[in-house]
Amino acid sequence: MKKLIFSLGILCLFQASSQQPLSLSDAIQIGLQRNYGIRIESGNVEVATNNNTWGEAGRLPTVNLNVQSQNSVRNQQSDNLFFGGQLFPGFELNNQRTYGMTPGVTVTWNIFQGNRAIISKRRLDQLQAESEQNADVVISNTIQSIILGYYVAVLEQRRLGEFQKQLNLSSDKYDYIQTKYDLGGAVTSDMLLEENNYLTDSVLVLNQQLALNNAFRNLNLLLVEENINRQYQLSDSLMIEDFTYDFTELSNAAFNKNVDLKKIYLSQTVLQTNTALQQSSRYPTLSLNGGYNWNRNVSNLTDARYSGPNPDYQNPPEPLISKTGTYFANFTLSFTLFDGDRINRAIRNAYIQEDIGNIRIDQLKKSIERDLASAYDQYLVRKQLLAINQRRREAAEINLQNSEEKFKNGSINSFDFRDVQNNYLSAAILELQAVYNLIDSKVTLMRLTGGLIREYNQ
């Protein structure tokens, strides 16, 4: 039996000495830096920022540099070739080599397309804002998860402390009864009863230690900690300030600062801009296509082979070179007269998407209104439950202290004292749970009113 006590003591001592301190604020900052979802959304924001340019919107011209090389070898043969006023059958001139190089610069610019470029740029601005708001939603959810995960670990740690106190008390009782038994002041049944109580409390401590280990693993998952089994000395205690909320102020904050609602408003502006973008297809398009081409052509007949009727023919002594420069500027005005009604269908569909977006906004607002009312009622009830459980624990603690003296002087038996002991443990556990439940309700109210972003993501 003493070996079991020693093993449990060494286990707790080793775990306490190997833990590193961690506050709630540190946990939130670590989670915000490492969280997978936040890192993904940061990448999406960076992509949206990179795309938010006038060039992506189509406002700027496109400039291309082209270089074309033309090389050919020509063989010419004719049965009847008119040459010098006469017909010469069997004319043949082979191995005519031609080399051409044509560099050029072209500019393509859509000068007017129904303000499509301006509307597209506005849409890119909105997409960037929407992406940033998506990141705020992920950040808010992450902060909520880290806060609750942190306090779950604190809760399990405090529970372990209460179970350990129960075990220590059972150990003292067991030692006390064993001493009385050795002196002949207790019977075997009393000693076996206290031994059973001690073993029961030992099992509770071991199971609670397992629950604490799992709570730390869940916290490490939220913090993206490489060592999933890392444990901490949690410096923030399981307590909450007594604060009274005004429901009207909460409602105003929820409808003005709720991150989900702000996100869906931005999504609606994107849908409205998409409608304007589809309507721009009804306007004509004016485009410019201009540039400059320069050509240098070389025809080399110096090594050509001639087989024909002209005895005076001689190959040119040098290659023939020609150079040409061409400027051009062409304007194109186009207007869609009929395209199978595709433009009108796209516009009608865009209006429908706008209507759907408005319905989703109304749906989300109703959902937030319901969730806020439920969370507010829950917060008020849990405040009352915490006060009740605090008073219950205080009374149970006083009763435990008084009963311990009565047990030692023989006023109550082991069964009665065990009931008092269990009542205190139950009251202490319920008080801890009530504190955590109130923290959970407060965090929920902060999440609904956008308070998590304001307070923890500075």
Side-chain angles (χ1 to χ4, degrees), residues 15-23 30 34 216 220 223 225 230-235:
Q15 289 175 342
S17 62
S18 62
Q19 294 172 354
Q20 68 178 41
L22 180 68
S23 66
I30 292 172
R34 297 178 180 175
F216 278 132
N220 286 325
L223 301 183
E225 171 59 43
R230 183 181 294 278
Q231 298 194 356
Y232 307 94
Q233 293 178 7
L234 303 175
S235 55

Side-chain angles (χ1 to χ4, degrees), residues 16 51 70 102 109 214 245 282 411:
N51 289 335
Q70 297 175 338
T102 307
W109 188 17
N214 289 331
Y245 288 102
R282 287 177 170 173
S411 300

Side-chain angles (χ1 to χ4, degrees), residues 205-239:
V205 169
L206 291 174
N207 287 332
Q208 185 57 35
Q209 182 63 58
L210 178 61
L212 177 59
N213 293 340
N214 289 331
F216 278 132
R217 291 188 183 100
N218 292 332
L219 180 59
N220 286 325
L221 181 63
L222 294 171
L223 301 183
V224 195
E225 171 59 43
E226 183 177 355
N227 180 11
I228 197 66
N229 294 312
R230 183 181 294 278
Q231 298 194 356
Y232 307 94
Q233 293 178 7
L234 303 175
S235 55
D236 284 65
S237 60
L238 191 69
M239 59 185 302

Side-chain angles (χ1 to χ4, degrees), residues 250 382 388 437:
L250 291 175
R382 285 180 171 179
I388 293 172
N437 291 342

